[in-house]
């Protein structure tokens, strides 16, 4: 594949390419050796074997995580035996009914939550709605006159759309702004603030402890979207007193396309959490079939309707790869991968051709690198044709996600080298 793009250029401009080839060879051997050393001393390297992968450099796990090897067999069992043979009995006997809270407890340690605070189900979009309306209702319980929702203006669009609707429904004014402006904008009118832990475009990591604390000082509630942080870095929800949080499971948690999202409500808020979607699954006695609603205690009141069992149990199998893996070691490797990628990009990509939008400071970096590049759409197409898969974000961003469970340093070196050849 790569020849298709190299050959014509080589004949057209032999001099320039010879020079760059010489440069490339020496750099390549140095960085290649470094990559091999880093891979050899990587304690997480063995986890790659738990995924179904090939020779493609897969740097899009922040959009759709790779397939964990345990999933196909589990899905087969869920479909053929649990559904096909046990049929209705599986709601009890196969643990279908309690799957949302059981799998929530499996995600809990990855985001620093004690058990009993997370349920799995619905999409992130739906959970943003539950969390934000729930937060505004909680804020109204403690003080009147809180009629503003602050939202990250650069947020993933769905969060912004849902926040706008939640604001209309609750009679609040929506104030979109850059997260850095949030502390000075907080006041007695602020009901809730919806923020992303990591910006999906730039990979910027926001200071969750400091922002949560500022929001609390103003008497408002903090709602965090963890889509781009959970599974890639420590979140520590309980430690930082986050009120409500949501996140998807198909990115760094590898749950599969459209796998259900999760919803966290801090334990002490649960008795007062008033869900805007009080479906029968969140009822204290769902099979009592009462016309009167009475919310279940605990995290269960975040449930809505019948859970999507096939996706949910695929996710449960996918989460088994985390057995014995510490999120701190994942973070350490993630930073080493993105550091090394930035170093390789500097070495291989002609100066001025790309510009990193991702902060260089570790404290401000998620697990991705976003490079601004004039013809990013075309460049990403060519990278994918050469088996280096990242993604393109409109209008000019090349986005590379680094999933420490299965991306190695050799992958990183190869990706940067192919990028250099492609844009050079
Ligand atoms: C991926 C992502 C979503 C996805 O929402 P869905 O409802 O699962 O489509 C939402 N918010 C953020 C910040 C994301 O990164």
């Amino acid at each position: 594949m790569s020849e298709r793009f190299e050959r014509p250029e080589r004949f057209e401009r032999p001099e320039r390419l010879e020079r760059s080839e010489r440069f490339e060879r020496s750099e390549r051997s140095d960085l290649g050796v470094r990559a091999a050393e880093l891979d050899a001393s990587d304690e997480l390297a063995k986890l790659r074997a738990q995924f179904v992968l090939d020779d493609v450099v897969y740097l899009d796990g922040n959009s759709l995580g790779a397939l964990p090897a345990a999933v196909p067999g589990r899905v087969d069992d869920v479909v053929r035996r649990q559904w096909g043979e046990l049929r209705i009995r599986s709601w009890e006997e196969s643990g279908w009914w309690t799957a949302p809270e059981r799998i929530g407890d499996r995600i809990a340690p990855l985001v620093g939550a004690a058990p009993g605070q997370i349920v799995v189900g619905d999409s992130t979009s739906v959970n943003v709605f539950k969390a934000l309306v729930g937060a505004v209702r909680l804020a109204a319980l403690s003080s009147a006159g809180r009629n503003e929702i602050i939202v990250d203006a650069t947020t993933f669009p769905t969060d912004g759309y849902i926040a706008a609707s939640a604001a209309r429904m609750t009679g609040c004014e929506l104030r979109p702004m850059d997260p850095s402006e949030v502390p000075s904008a907080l006041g007695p009118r602020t009901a809730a603030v919806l923020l992303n832990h990591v910006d999906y475009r730039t990979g910027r990591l926001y200071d969750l402890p400091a922002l949560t604390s500022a929001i609390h000082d103003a008497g408002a509630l903090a709602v965090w979207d963890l889509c781009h942080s959970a599974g890639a870095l420590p979140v520590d929800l309980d430690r930082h007193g986050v009120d409500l949080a949501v996140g998807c499971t198909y990115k760094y948690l590898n749950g599969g396309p459209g796998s259900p999202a999760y919803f966290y409500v801090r334990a002490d808020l649960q008795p007062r959490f008033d869900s805007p979607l009080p479906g029968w699954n969140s009822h204290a006695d769902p099979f009592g079939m009462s016309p009167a609603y009475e919310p279940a205690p605990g995290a269960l009141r975040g449930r809505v309707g019948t859970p999507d069992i096939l996706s949910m149990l695929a996710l449960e199998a996918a989460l088994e790869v985390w057995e014995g893996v510490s999120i701190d070691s994942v973070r350490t490797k993630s930073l080493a991968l993105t550091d090394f990628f930035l170093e390789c990009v500097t070495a291989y990509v002609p100066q001025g051709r790309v510009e990193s939008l991702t902060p260089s400071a570790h404290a401000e970096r998620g697990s991705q690198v976003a490079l601004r590049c004039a013809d990013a759409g075309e460049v990403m197409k060519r990278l994918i044709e050469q088996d280096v898969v990242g993604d393109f974000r409109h209008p000019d961003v090349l986005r590379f996600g680094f999933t420490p469970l299965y991306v190695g340093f050799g992958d990183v070196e190869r990706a940067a080298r192919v990028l250099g050849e492609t844009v050079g």
Side-chain angles (χ1 to χ4, degrees):
M1 270 291 189
S2 66
E3 281 182 356
R4 217 174 99 197
F5 297 104
E6 278 168 17
R7 278 246 171 84
E9 270 196 79
R10 204 162 277 167
F11 294 122
E12 276 162 31
R13 291 179 291 170
E15 214 187 71
R16 193 179 75 89
L17 280 156
E18 258 167 41
R19 227 179 10 246
S20 89
E21 234 166 54
R22 236 188 350 259
F23 157 81
E24 190 182 291
R25 249 180 234 135
S26 67
E27 284 289 326
R28 176 175 172 173
S29 57
D30 287 354
L31 291 167
V33 168
R34 282 264 309 290
E37 286 167 359
L38 288 164
D39 278 328
S41 60
D42 171 16
E43 58 179 272
L44 300 179
K46 59 183 186 299
L47 291 168
R48 183 180 164 95
Q50 292 191 42
F51 289 86
V52 177
L53 288 162
D54 47 24
D55 192 40
V56 170
V57 177
Y58 191 65
L59 302 181
D60 214 359
N62 53 340
S63 235
L64 178 66
L67 171 65
V71 171
R74 181 69 53 81
V75 169
D76 188 72
D77 179 64
V78 171
V79 172
R80 291 182 196 282
R81 188 182 59 83
Q82 298 184 14
W83 178 15
E85 294 171 24
L86 297 176
R87 291 178 287 268
I88 196 85
R89 290 167 55 188
S90 273
W91 282 107
E92 284 278 335
E93 292 174 27
S94 304
W96 289 359
W97 185 260
T98 51
E101 49 273 20
R102 180 178 72 245
I103 302 170
D105 281 347
R106 185 124 208 174
I107 291 172
L110 300 176
V111 292
Q117 300 176 102
I118 296 181
V119 283
V120 172
D122 311 312
S123 62
T124 301
S125 303
V126 171
N127 283 302
V128 166
F129 177 78
K130 288 186 241 174
L132 206 46
V133 176
V136 172
R137 289 178 175 178
L138 283 162
L141 290 179
S142 45
S143 59
R146 292 194 178 267
N147 58 1
E148 276 180 7
I149 295 175
I150 292 177
V151 64
D152 176 353
T154 57
T155 188
F156 188 89
T158 204
D159 297 48
Y161 305 155
I162 303 258
S165 176
R168 275 205 310 280
M169 276 187 51
T170 54
C172 283
E173 181 193 338
L174 185 71
R175 296 183 61 198
M177 64 185 69
D178 190 272
S180 63
E181 296 166 359
V182 168
S184 55
L186 292 161
R189 287 185 54 200
T190 316
V193 183
L194 170 64
L195 293 169
N196 290 286
H197 197 187
V198 173
D199 184 287
Y200 79 101
R201 250 177 111 255
T202 62
R204 176 182 290 274
L205 169 67
Y206 287 102
D207 189 342
L208 179 146
L211 285 162
T212 302
S213 155
I215 293 164
H216 286 167
D217 287 347
L221 282 99
V223 181
W224 284 93
D225 184 325
L226 310 176
C227 280
H228 284 274
S229 59
L233 52 95
V235 179
D236 289 325
L237 289 176
D238 286 353
R239 183 146 77 94
H240 303 305
V242 167
D243 301 292
L244 300 114
V246 303
C248 68
T249 61
Y250 49 78
K251 293 172 183 165
Y252 294 105
L253 298 178
N254 314 301
S259 57
Y262 55 91
F263 179 46
Y264 166 93
V265 182
R266 203 180 68 221
D268 62 296
L269 294 176
Q270 290 168 356
R272 284 172 289 143
F273 172 70
D274 176 9
S275 175
L277 292 172
W280 74 290
N281 271 230
S282 69
H283 197 282
D285 179 19
F287 293 95
M289 300 290 170
S290 163
Y293 182 70
E294 186 195 329
L300 269 68
R301 70 174 61 184
R303 288 178 63 158
V304 182
T306 305
D308 35 8
I309 292 298
L310 302 185
S311 276
M312 183 138 348
L313 299 190
L315 167 63
E316 186 169 37
L319 290 170
E320 285 170 10
V321 303
W322 291 94
E323 199 63 53
V325 176
S326 97
I327 199 75
D328 290 320
S329 62
V330 166
R331 175 60 169 165
T332 303
K333 180 174 173 187
S334 158
L335 287 171
L337 288 169
T338 49
D339 274 343
F340 190 54
F341 183 66
L342 289 167
E343 185 184 339
C344 292
V345 166
T346 305
Y348 290 142
V349 177
Q351 217 180 351
R353 196 63 179 79
V354 299
E355 174 207 350
S356 176
L357 298 175
T358 305
S360 54
H362 284 179
E364 296 177 3
R365 192 194 303 162
S367 200
Q368 77 178 49
V369 171
L371 301 177
R372 177 176 282 152
C373 175
D375 43 355
E378 184 56 29
V379 168
M380 185 51 73
K381 228 166 67 194
R382 290 196 189 190
L383 290 179
I384 292 169
E385 282 169 340
Q386 296 170 89
D387 288 344
V388 172
V389 177
D391 59 26
F392 161 63
R393 282 295 174 264
H394 196 77
D396 57 359
V397 176
L398 298 170
R399 212 175 61 142
F400 301 95
F402 298 84
T403 303
L405 299 187
Y406 55 74
V407 172
F409 294 89
D411 295 326
V412 166
E413 190 270 344
R414 191 175 134 204
R417 182 161 30 89
V418 173
L419 174 64
E421 290 164 3
T422 302
V423 301

